[in-house]
Amino acid sequence: MTTARTATPSTARAINDRLALDLLLERGPLTASTLRDLTGLSRPTVADLLERLQRAGLVAVVGESGEQRRGPNARLYALVADRAHLAGIDIRATGVSLVVADLTGRTLARAEVPAAGDGSLVDRTMAALRAAAREAGAERLHTVAIGAPGLFDPATGEHNNSGDLPRWHTDLLAALRSDPATAVIVDNEVNLAGIAEHRLGAAQDRDTFVLCWLSHGVGAAVVLDGRLRRGASGGTGEIGYLPLHGSGLPDADSGCSGGGFHTTVSSAAICDLAAAHGLPVPPCGSAPRGEAVVRNAVAAGAAEFLDELAQRIAIGVAAVCAVLDPGCVVLGGEIGRAGGADLADRVAHRLARLVPLRTEVRAGTAGGGAVLAGAVLTAGDAVRRDVFGGS
């Protein structure tokens, strides 16, 4: 038999402080009376916690409310946003995008570093990150969250690039991890996009869903019962390897480019399909060419092309649904965003014929910037756990 324990005064203070900090983060500046109403805490308790948080440099008075009654009760309290700074980084084959933000996640500076093929990208990225931090007024970055292709072991953080990523990916990760004053979090880029779709995008009302990421390649983020799932080796969501009838067999040693789901819905495969349907295909560029193909096809009402593409996507998604039964699939990435509701509806129609599990298909709304958004969210969570305390 166990006996319930009463929280100690210090534990109670920590819980109340975190509750107030989370409310200030979510709602912005608040008066003491509003905090009392939202928390249900007494007037003396709220007064004590505000004084405590001000002494700790976490909260400051930023003005007064528009209430008729002035004085202490009208003071507006807000988080000290520059108490800590963070960065989100999206590493692609075509280059690097980065954002520096404050404690609240508000973007203060950003930079794009294209790959030039001259071996300088690592140095240029580190210089761009330092410049963005200076622009944001940050003496140091508390935490950097990075999204990159490949597998990242959930236990060790070790990167497995599957043998098909440029060497500079590994070198850049090593450089970013070299500063002992900055915590570094690294995850697969589609996992971070899944976090963004869950908290900011199309799946905000879902605790269980799968993000099918359609870009240069294909991947998935799996969220079950509100938690992102990574698997034993970080490989959950590597749906590009799904062996599908007629697509050939993928080669685990050399990546999935030789066969599997990837070869049917990657940007290159979509361009080949468009050409077969007599649709124009743009020249190579940094963005997935399939994005422009799908956007133009939707605008032109190219039904036969979109139907065949939807069938291809549905076949791979059906395999995922038959195993996980997520109830909701979000089509994300640049190509998913380009297809919008038109492509999502076509996929849903075909998916319903393939599996008897009711599955809603939605177009992603976080778009191509979802990886960066997810990185900033992830870094922000880590910073606030450290600075605010608690879980």
Side-chain angles (χ1 to χ4, degrees), residues 67-167:
E67 298 172 2
Q68 283 188 335
R69 189 172 67 176
R70 317 301 288 178
N73 286 331
R75 290 174 183 164
L76 281 170
Y77 297 88
L79 293 178
V80 178
D82 61 0
R83 170 66 183 269
H85 293 85
L86 55 99
I89 300 179
D90 179 7
I91 300 177
R92 303 286 184 96
T94 53
V96 177
S97 302
L98 63 89
V99 161
V100 174
D102 62 21
L103 180 66
T104 68
R106 181 172 62 98
T107 295
L108 301 177
R110 61 174 64 241
E112 300 283 339
V113 188
D118 58 2
S120 67
L121 191 136
V122 173
D123 290 339
R124 288 187 289 117
T125 298
M126 298 304 293
L129 182 59
R130 289 191 293 269
R134 287 195 299 271
E135 181 183 342
E139 295 182 3
R140 75 175 184 93
L141 295 174
H142 182 289
T143 299
V144 174
I146 305 161
L151 304 182
F152 294 89
D153 189 295
T156 66
E158 182 180 352
H159 180 220
N160 176 3
N161 70 11
S162 304
D164 57 357
L165 297 176
R167 171 71 189 183

Side-chain angles (χ1 to χ4, degrees), residues 82-384:
D82 61 0
R83 170 66 183 269
H85 293 85
L86 55 99
I89 300 179
D90 179 7
I91 300 177
R92 303 286 184 96
T94 53
V96 177
S97 302
L98 63 89
V99 161
V100 174
D102 62 21
L103 180 66
T104 68
R106 181 172 62 98
T107 295
L108 301 177
R110 61 174 64 241
E112 300 283 339
V113 188
D118 58 2
S120 67
L121 191 136
V122 173
D123 290 339
R124 288 187 289 117
T125 298
M126 298 304 293
L129 182 59
R130 289 191 293 269
R134 287 195 299 271
E135 181 183 342
E139 295 182 3
R140 75 175 184 93
L141 295 174
H142 182 289
T143 299
V144 174
I146 305 161
L151 304 182
F152 294 89
D153 189 295
T156 66
E158 182 180 352
H159 180 220
N160 176 3
N161 70 11
S162 304
D164 57 357
L165 297 176
R167 171 71 189 183
W168 62 259
H169 275 232
T170 302
D171 293 341
L172 179 55
L173 289 175
L176 290 166
R177 285 167 160 163
S178 64
D179 184 355
T182 298
V184 175
I185 302 168
V186 188
D187 205 344
N188 177 270
E189 86 273 42
V190 181
N191 283 341
L192 295 183
I195 291 171
E197 289 289 2
H198 190 207
R199 292 172 56 177
L200 304 173
Q204 292 182 65
D205 62 336
R206 291 280 185 167
D207 282 338
T208 295
F209 76 99
V210 169
L211 167 66
C212 181
W213 182 259
L214 301 166
S215 184
H216 288 286
V218 58
V222 176
V223 175
L224 303 178
D225 300 323
R227 291 181 55 198
L228 179 71
R229 307 294 174 154
R230 294 179 172 83
S233 61
T236 296
E238 291 294 321
I239 59 174
Y241 288 99
L242 278 174
L244 303 178
H245 179 70
S247 68
L249 294 177
D251 184 346
D253 292 328
S254 59
C256 55
S257 58
F261 190 36
H262 171 89
T263 60
T264 68
V265 295
S266 66
S267 178
I270 290 172
C271 290
D272 290 342
L273 179 63
H277 281 266
L279 300 178
V281 177
C284 293
S286 59
R289 292 187 297 158
E291 176 186 3
V293 166
V294 171
R295 180 178 292 109
N296 293 338
V298 171
E304 290 186 2
F305 163 78
L306 291 169
D307 284 344
E308 186 169 348
L309 174 59
Q311 180 69 16
R312 291 185 178 191
I313 295 170
I315 289 172
V317 169
V320 175
C321 291
V323 175
L324 298 177
D325 186 19
C328 178
V329 172
V330 175
L331 303 183
E334 294 90 347
I335 292 169
R337 177 180 57 179
D342 189 327
L343 181 60
D345 289 345
R346 293 171 191 268
V347 172
H349 177 68
R350 284 152 183 81
L351 184 62
R353 296 179 175 181
L354 295 173
V355 288
L357 306 172
R358 183 176 298 176
T359 307
E360 185 179 3
V361 181
R362 302 177 178 180
T365 58
V371 177
L372 262 184
V376 170
L377 288 168
T378 298
D381 289 345
V383 170
R384 289 186 288 273

Side-chain angles (χ1 to χ4, degrees), residues 32 35 45-55 59 77:
L35 274 173
T45 299
V46 169
D48 287 345
L49 76 82
L50 285 173
E51 182 181 353
R52 189 163 56 248
L53 294 175
Q54 288 180 88
R55 288 199 307 268
V59 168
Y77 297 88

